[in-house]
């Protein structure tokens, strides 16, 4: 097999018609992920690229050399051949000094870089005149960047794995049970930080049957916590915690003190604590103190997802699972790597979407367009120059506000009075009712009795239909449902009035009306009850 791969190695240079994407084996300790997978290799080839994969690069993630070869990749025997033959290198972890030395002069690299934490690496890459796109620097506020957001993909995997690690270290079921052998209480899980990783952990723990509580400095995530089956725990201190790019910001000392008090209370009650708090470019904030750990019940578990950046717990040892004061503290730094096949597939898809943006002509040649906000944000070095940090993305111009004078008549027309929001004056209300009464009197004085009978039914049907909708739960009040059910109520009442004299009457003077009214009742009932049933099922999707 080695002889076969060695024979293929020269084809990286000789058979290349466009740019070659190289995928080396990750050398970072415990890293099992790979930057692309066979499924994505086939898509990259369709974009016009050739793809070279180092032999054994996907073994730890259960992707064999043969599967890459079948997808259209060339298998290269070693790192030297891979790096020297690739125009663009896809990686997961940032390169070490040796790999930077292997990078082709003026070549391109796409991987996690963390430029704020690695200034020396940035200088080394700039010295190689490399074009480097840091996938962690993607402007996450751009909606079109979501498909390339590897941070979100990896955070979701890590949040799920954190719960699995907690369950492994915990000594009981997550869900409560009542058996002949006794009662098992449900586990109480507290999650500090409700970003992507935290929300993934909330959903996983709740699905396992645990009682889940969560906190975040960003108040807007409270609804998301509840929708996933958790309970949002507020800090008794009012301060906005949203930072740029979807992250939290550093809070004031007053807020932090109130937060510590809340965490101390939760630590005494919780069986499992999962911490996810990170702020870009800064060490992980210390949320769980040694005293809080001491107050936890023996056998409790802490999973510190911020361990790689120093940890949210004072007693965390990065990369290790330790027991202190009877509490297991899990500080693994490779949570996403522990689900290597899944995380590699998601990461490879993110890089493919980025490659589509870089190669819109599908000719196998990337174009790093610095006028594109997403690409500009990703690019940290280009042609020997350090281009990080990127300027803030351009904001779309807000539409011009309508002139106040033009808006005023519309408001008057909409509300029936001069100032929007003010109650209607008593005199105007009396005039309106007087006009309506006069109109009804004219109709009653001149219309034939048959018309009055039908008109009375129509008015009553409108009123009943309105009341039917008015008393429906607000959760069901969509414009479509409101109008549909109001009309249905009117049709149902009208049809009942038409059909009732005919039932059981000898002779049945007009059977056509009977059948039409009956059909109207059936169709209306389907619309009314079916509409509410479908709406209830839609709402149930968002409940636990």
């Amino acid at each position: 097999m080695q002889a076969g791969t060695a024979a293929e190695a020269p084809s990286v240079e000789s058979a290349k018609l466009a740019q070659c994407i190289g995928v080396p084996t990750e050398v970072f300790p415990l890293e099992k992920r790979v930057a692309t997978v066979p499924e994505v290799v086939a898509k990259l080839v369709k974009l016009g690229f050739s793809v070279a994969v180092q032999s054994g690069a996907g073994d730890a993630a259960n992707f064999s050399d043969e599967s890459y070869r079948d997808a259209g990749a060339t298998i290269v025997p070693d790192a030297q051949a891979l790096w020297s033959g690739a125009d663009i290198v896809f990686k997961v972890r940032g390169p070490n000094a040796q790999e930077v030395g292997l990078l082709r002069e003026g070549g391109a690299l796409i991987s996690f870089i963390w430029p704020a934490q690695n200034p020396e690496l940035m200088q080394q890459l700039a010295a190689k005149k490399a074009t480097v796109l840091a996938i962690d620097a993607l402007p996450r506020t751009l909606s079109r960047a979501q498909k390339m957001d590897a941070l979100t993909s990896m955070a979701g995997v890590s949040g799920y794995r954190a719960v699995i690690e907690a369950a492994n270290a915990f000594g009981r079921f997550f869900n409560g049970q009542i058996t002949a052998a006794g009662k098992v209480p449900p586990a109480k899980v507290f999650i500090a930080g409700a970003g992507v990783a935290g929300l993934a952990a909330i959903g996983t723990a709740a699905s396992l049957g645990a009682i889940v509580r969560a906190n975040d400095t960003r108040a807007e995530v409270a609804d998301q916590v509840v929708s996933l089956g958790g309970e949002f725990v507020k800090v008794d201190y009012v301060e906005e915690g949203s930072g740029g790019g979807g992250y939290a910001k550093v809070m004031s000392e007053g807020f932090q003190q109130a937060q510590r008090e809340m965490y101390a209370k939760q630590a005494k009650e919780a069986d499992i604590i999962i911490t996810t708090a990170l702020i870009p470019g800064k060490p992980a904030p210390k949320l769980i103190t040694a005293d809080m750990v001491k107050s936890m019940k023996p056998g409790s578990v802490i999973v510190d997802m911020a361990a790689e950046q120093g940890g949210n717990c004072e007693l965390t040892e990065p990369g290790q699972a330790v027991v202190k004061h009877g509490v297991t503290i899990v500080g693994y730094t490779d949570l996403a790597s522990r689900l290597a096949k899944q995380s590699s597939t998601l990461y490879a898809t993110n890089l493919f979407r980025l490659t589509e943006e870089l190669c819109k002509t599908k000719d196998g040649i990337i174009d790093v367009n610095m006028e594109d906000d997403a690409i500009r944000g990703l690019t940290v070095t280009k042609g020997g120059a350090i281009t990080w940090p990127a300027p803030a993305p351009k904001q779309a111009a807000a539409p011009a506000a309508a002139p106040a004078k033009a808006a005023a008549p519309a408001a008057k027309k909409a509300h029936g009075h001069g100032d929007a929001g003010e109650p209607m004056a008593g005199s105007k209300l009396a005039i309106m009712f007087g006009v309506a009464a006069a109109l009804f009197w004219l109709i009653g004085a001149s219309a034939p009795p048959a018309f009055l009978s039908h008109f009375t039914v129509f008015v009553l049907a409108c009123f009943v239909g309105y009341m039917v909708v008015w008393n429906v739960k607000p959760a069901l009040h969509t414009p479509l449902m409101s109008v549909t059910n109001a009309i249905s109520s009117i049709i149902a009442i009208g049809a009942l009035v038409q059909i009732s004299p005919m039932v059981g009457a000898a002779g049945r003077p007009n059977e056509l009306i009977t059948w039409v009214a009956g059909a109207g009742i059936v169709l209306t009932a389907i619309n009314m009850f079916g509409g509410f049933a479908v709406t209830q099922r839609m709402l149930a999707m968002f409940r636990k």
Side-chain angles (χ1 to χ4, degrees), residues 266-282:
Q266 293 299 322
K268 294 177 182 178
E269 300 177 1
D271 298 304
I272 295 169
I273 295 178
I274 299 175
T275 64
T276 70
L278 280 174
I279 298 173
K282 298 181 181 295

Side-chain angles (χ1 to χ4, degrees), residues 343-390:
S343 54
S344 295
T345 301
L346 294 175
Y347 182 67
T349 302
N350 293 140
L351 293 194
F352 170 68
R353 296 304 180 190
L354 171 57
T355 307
E356 283 185 317
E357 293 294 318
L358 294 170
C359 183
K360 294 183 178 180
T361 55
K362 299 184 179 180
D363 58 358
I365 300 174
I366 64 170
D367 175 26
V368 181
N369 180 13
M370 300 296 272
E371 297 299 319
D372 186 311
D373 285 339
I375 303 304
R376 176 64 187 88
L378 286 166
T379 307
V380 295
T381 70
K382 186 177 183 183
I386 296 177
T387 59
W388 183 88

Side-chain angles (χ1 to χ4, degrees), residues 218-300:
R218 296 160 291 188
E220 63 268 19
V221 305
D223 290 340
Q224 299 177 49
V225 171
V226 174
S227 70
L228 289 170
E231 174 190 348
F232 188 78
V233 182
K234 295 182 179 180
V235 176
D236 191 17
Y237 193 99
V238 179
E239 183 176 346
E240 175 55 43
S242 296
Y247 292 96
K249 69 175 185 179
V250 179
M251 307 300 286
S252 67
E253 181 56 37
F255 182 92
Q256 292 181 36
Q257 178 59 36
Q259 186 182 54
R260 282 191 290 269
E261 293 174 0
M262 183 269 290
Y263 283 154
K265 179 180 178 182
Q266 293 299 322
K268 294 177 182 178
E269 300 177 1
D271 298 304
I272 295 169
I273 295 178
I274 299 175
T275 64
T276 70
L278 280 174
I279 298 173
K282 298 181 181 295
K286 299 300 180 185
L287 305 179
I288 308 299
T289 64
D291 289 338
M292 293 180 194
V293 176
K294 292 179 183 177
S295 71
M296 296 181 71
K297 293 171 284 189
S300 298

Side-chain angles (χ1 to χ4, degrees), residues 87-147:
D87 301 292
I88 310 159
V89 176
F90 282 4
K91 272 184 60 53
V92 179
R93 297 275 186 169
N96 58 24
Q98 182 181 1
E99 290 175 318
V100 172
L102 294 174
L103 180 62
R104 177 186 291 184
E105 186 91 4
L109 170 68
I110 303 176
S111 74
F112 284 100
I113 298 294
W114 303 108
Q117 290 94 326
N118 298 291
E120 292 183 5
L121 175 60
M122 294 286 288
Q123 294 294 338
Q124 293 170 2
L125 292 169
K128 296 286 288 189
K129 295 182 172 55
T131 297
V132 180
L133 281 72
I135 199 69
D136 50 271
L138 180 74
R140 302 172 77 185
T141 54
L142 299 176
S143 59
R144 58 180 287 266
Q146 293 178 1
K147 61 185 178 181

